[in-house]
Amino acid sequence: MKKDTLAEVIIVPDAAAAGALVASRIAALIVANPATVLGVATGSTPGTVYAELARRVQRESLDVSRVRAFALDEYVGLDAAKPESYHSVIRREVTEQIGLDPANVRVPDGSIERIMTAGTEYDAGIVAAGGIDLQLLGIGRTGHIGFNEPGSSLASRTRIKTLAPLTRIDNSRFFASVEDVPLHCITQGIGTILEARQLVLLAFGPEKAEAVAAAVEGPLTSRVPGSAIQLHPRVTVVVDEFAASWLEYADYYRHCWQNKLYRCPDRRDAP
Ligand code: GLP
């Protein structure tokens, strides 16, 4: 691959540094446009971003009253009121912690009765909001973004998917047992995710290194749904040294970042 076509990759010391960097970028967007539309991820990874945004709201009077947010995914058939549901996770970690208006935050509807239409309606809601300005992403060990498991169409829209066995094992830490992890999910499609105006993918820890390298530097393939980020014109990958450890061009990324050599024409919001 030509280096010029690689994503912007920023290698940070730890998740706290990533949280500060990404929260700065989001805060700049919100200051420029108070009605910014965020795409928010669940999982352990974006926690420092949300905590840092909350700090800026409380201590720096960042006004998020008009910010809107769309979550990436939800389990199917899990009561939204249960603490493990992404409705609950987003309410606790995003809506309440940051202080967003609950009316401005949406999560895909994972109820079985509505599953055949919920995806189309969700995508229509994103379009009606004017599209997502910045989409936060984590990455699973299967290479998934959202819950788009290997084999997902790179043009997919929000829809029901079957979770990979490895994902159910990984997410069993949030449940009483792996058997309690739902078999199905509803997730923004890869095509939906790629319509966001900016992508920020975060990953920390050695267990993410293989998936990060495959997504950033591997071939574009539905075997690694995260590799679809290579199709996006404005994507930033923020990783710690552990998650960066399989990246062939790590030294190049450090060189670019340390010397401010990224050539994105609209990098006025760079921290
Ligand atoms: C989860 C979520 C994804 C998340 C990924 C990584 O199951 N569905 O949106 O990005 O898998 O999770 P974690 O951040 O906990 O490692």
Side-chain angles (χ1 to χ4, degrees):
M1 178 188 289
K2 281 174 59 189
K3 289 182 183 178
D4 284 352
T5 63
L6 293 172
E8 176 186 56
V9 180
I10 304 171
I11 302 170
V12 292
D14 53 29
L21 189 152
V22 176
S24 284
R25 191 171 287 195
I26 294 173
L29 279 183
I30 295 170
V31 168
N33 172 18
T36 289
V37 182
L38 296 176
V40 289
T42 48
S44 307
T45 305
T48 56
V49 176
Y50 302 144
E52 179 62 19
L53 272 176
R55 193 189 68 76
R56 284 162 194 250
V57 170
Q58 288 155 15
R59 304 231 183 114
E60 297 172 13
S61 304
L62 178 68
D63 180 4
V64 292
S65 58
R66 294 175 57 204
V67 170
R68 289 164 293 169
F70 288 85
L72 275 171
D73 44 23
E74 176 58 289
Y75 295 107
V76 167
L78 183 68
D79 184 348
K82 289 236 169 118
E84 306 90 345
S85 80
Y86 284 172
H87 275 79
S88 295
V89 172
I90 292 289
R91 191 184 65 250
R92 284 193 306 268
E93 298 179 6
V94 177
T95 315
E96 291 177 356
Q97 184 180 202
I98 299 174
L100 301 186
D101 181 343
N104 288 344
V105 181
R106 292 211 201 157
V107 179
D109 186 342
S111 58
I112 290 166
E113 311 76 56
R114 303 210 44 255
I115 200 60
M116 297 316 287
T117 53
T120 312
E121 289 169 12
Y122 198 70
D123 282 346
I126 293 174
V127 171
I132 289 172
D133 293 303
L134 183 148
Q135 176 66 59
L136 285 172
L137 297 169
I139 188 163
R141 287 199 295 156
T142 62
H144 72 216
I145 49 174
F147 266 142
N148 293 283
E149 298 289 20
S152 294
S153 161
L154 300 182
S156 49
R157 313 300 308 177
T158 302
R159 72 220 181 285
I160 187 171
K161 282 293 291 180
T162 303
L163 290 172
L166 180 60
T167 298
R168 293 183 69 232
I169 291 168
D170 284 350
N171 286 9
S172 65
R173 68 189 191 279
F174 299 115
F175 292 79
S177 73
V178 69
E179 289 76 28
D180 291 331
V181 182
L183 289 162
H184 297 97
C185 61
I186 175 169
T187 179
Q188 280 191 36
I190 295 174
T192 314
I193 290 169
L194 290 177
E195 283 170 6
R197 286 182 270 282
Q198 178 177 175
L199 304 181
V200 177
L201 187 148
L202 297 154
F204 311 121
E207 63 280 4
K208 297 294 177 73
E210 185 174 5
V212 166
V216 174
E217 297 176 341
L220 174 64
T221 169
S222 64
R223 292 171 68 111
V224 182
S227 67
I229 64 170
Q230 296 174 31
L231 291 168
H232 199 283
R234 188 162 185 203
V235 53
T236 302
V237 176
V238 184
V239 287
D240 66 9
E241 292 285 351
F242 296 109
S245 59
W246 283 43
L247 287 169
E248 189 179 341
Y249 290 105
D251 288 343
Y252 169 72
Y253 308 136
R254 288 191 192 93
H255 166 74
C256 291
W257 179 246
Q258 285 160 8
N259 295 291
K260 307 240 174 283
L261 295 176
Y262 287 110
R263 282 169 291 166
C264 219
D266 58 347
R267 294 252 326 144
R268 286 184 295 271
D269 63 339

